[in-house]
Amino acid sequence: MTELDLAMSFVEDVKKKTSIDDVRDQFARTITAFGFKSYLIAGVPLPGERLDDYHMASGLPLSWFERYMQENYVGEDPVVKRLRSSAQPFVWRDTLNDRTTNELGTKIMNEAHEHGLGDGFCVPIHGADGFQAGVSLGAPDVDLSERHRGALHLISIYVHNQIRELLMRDRVELPSVRLTPRELECLKWTSAGKTSWEISKILNISQHTVDWYLGSLGRKLGAVNRTQAVAEGFRRGFLH
């Protein structure tokens, strides 16, 4: 099974789940195929706030999770700092060279290592309304191909959106979205991994027009990039 097959299989399985525990269990099983056993799914607190009210799901070692929360490490965590400003997934070790990483930040990373989290992979999630969140995966060591990164990007966005929807299920009704036939075609080909240029040749329209349709459907879905649009397309049933 290819990385894309794993991601699509996860999406198909999770869209049938109706409880957060079931979604979380499926996610935990899926990421083991990529070498991960630990994870954290959470919104990004504003500066000065604690993580407690933003936490959505955790599969971190309990000893590390408790220490992290007790010490309120979120404010100086190099991964969280990168998360606030990056739209692209990244590995934890890259943050050690960031200018914003201070002595406490390095200490946090070293302590994570002591709890079996020597490195990790983080997927930033940015909503069109300014909402920020992240899915962070931890392991003793990380060595990911570009295909692995792409699959984990899609899986992470989807699991976050699904859990967030379940958390809000009883409070907020999901707004209805209508996509035009052409927008839907562009979304489907994007989910198949096609570039704008490739889609333009398939649909016999200009690349500029493809980009316009993708931008339009992205705004309707509240997505800030194509991977997020695909994940939201699956969640809302536009893709199967």
Side-chain angles (χ1 to χ4, degrees):
M1 184 178 287
T2 67
E3 296 85 354
L4 183 58
D5 288 335
L6 279 171
M8 293 300 102
S9 176
F10 172 79
V11 167
E12 288 301 318
D13 288 340
V14 166
K15 68 167 58 173
K16 303 170 188 173
K17 308 296 185 187
T18 57
S19 78
I20 292 175
D21 285 345
D22 288 343
V23 172
R24 186 171 53 200
D25 290 346
Q26 183 65 44
F27 179 63
R29 287 193 294 271
T30 300
I31 62 175
T32 59
F34 298 88
F36 296 98
K37 292 185 178 180
S38 302
Y39 66 88
L40 179 67
I41 304 171
V44 178
L46 296 172
E49 291 187 327
R50 296 182 60 86
L51 182 62
D52 306 59
D53 293 335
Y54 291 83
H55 166 256
M56 297 168 65
S58 174
L60 294 175
L62 184 58
S63 58
W64 174 236
F65 180 70
E66 289 180 343
R67 176 161 180 78
Y68 190 95
M69 299 294 276
Q70 288 170 359
E71 297 296 325
N72 195 26
Y73 278 158
V74 68
E76 294 298 336
D77 186 342
V79 173
V80 176
K81 288 183 177 181
R82 170 77 74 92
L83 188 61
R84 295 182 194 280
S85 59
S86 176
Q88 296 300 319
F90 57 90
V91 292
W92 293 0
R93 62 178 177 270
D94 290 347
T95 66
L96 290 172
N97 297 319
D98 290 351
R99 288 183 298 176
T100 56
T101 299
N102 55 25
E103 185 176 344
L104 178 54
T106 302
K107 177 177 181 287
I108 292 169
M109 299 290 279
N110 289 337
E111 285 191 19
H113 191 283
E114 292 169 3
H115 286 81
L117 303 175
D119 203 356
F121 182 69
C122 186
V123 176
I125 297 169
H126 299 273
D129 58 356
F131 174 81
Q132 289 184 305
V135 177
S136 199
L137 313 176
D141 190 30
V142 173
D143 183 17
L144 296 172
S145 68
E146 286 303 314
R147 288 182 179 273
H148 284 154
R149 290 181 180 227
L152 285 170
H153 193 182
L154 176 59
I155 289 168
S156 296
I157 290 176
Y158 195 86
V159 73
H160 165 268
N161 289 353
Q162 193 73 356
I163 289 178
R164 189 181 183 206
E165 180 182 345
L166 290 172
L167 286 170
M168 301 174 66
R169 177 175 51 190
D170 298 329
R171 292 177 289 167
V172 179
E173 183 179 349
L174 194 65
S176 112
V177 171
R178 284 179 174 272
L179 297 184
T180 68
R182 196 60 110 183
E183 287 172 343
L184 192 53
E185 284 182 305
C186 289
L187 180 62
K188 287 180 176 178
W189 284 116
T190 299
S191 73
K194 301 298 183 182
T195 65
S196 292
W197 181 83
E198 290 171 327
I199 296 172
S200 73
K201 297 304 178 184
I202 293 169
L203 300 182
N204 196 29
I205 57 179
S206 72
Q207 183 175 337
H208 175 77
T209 302
V210 171
D211 288 336
W212 187 88
Y213 281 127
L214 289 172
S216 175
L217 70 89
R219 288 187 292 274
K220 290 180 180 180
L221 296 174
V224 296
N225 56 47
R226 296 186 183 191
T227 304
Q228 191 174 356
V230 169
E232 192 66 9
F234 276 111
R235 190 170 72 93
R236 289 177 177 270
F238 292 118
L239 299 173
H240 304 281

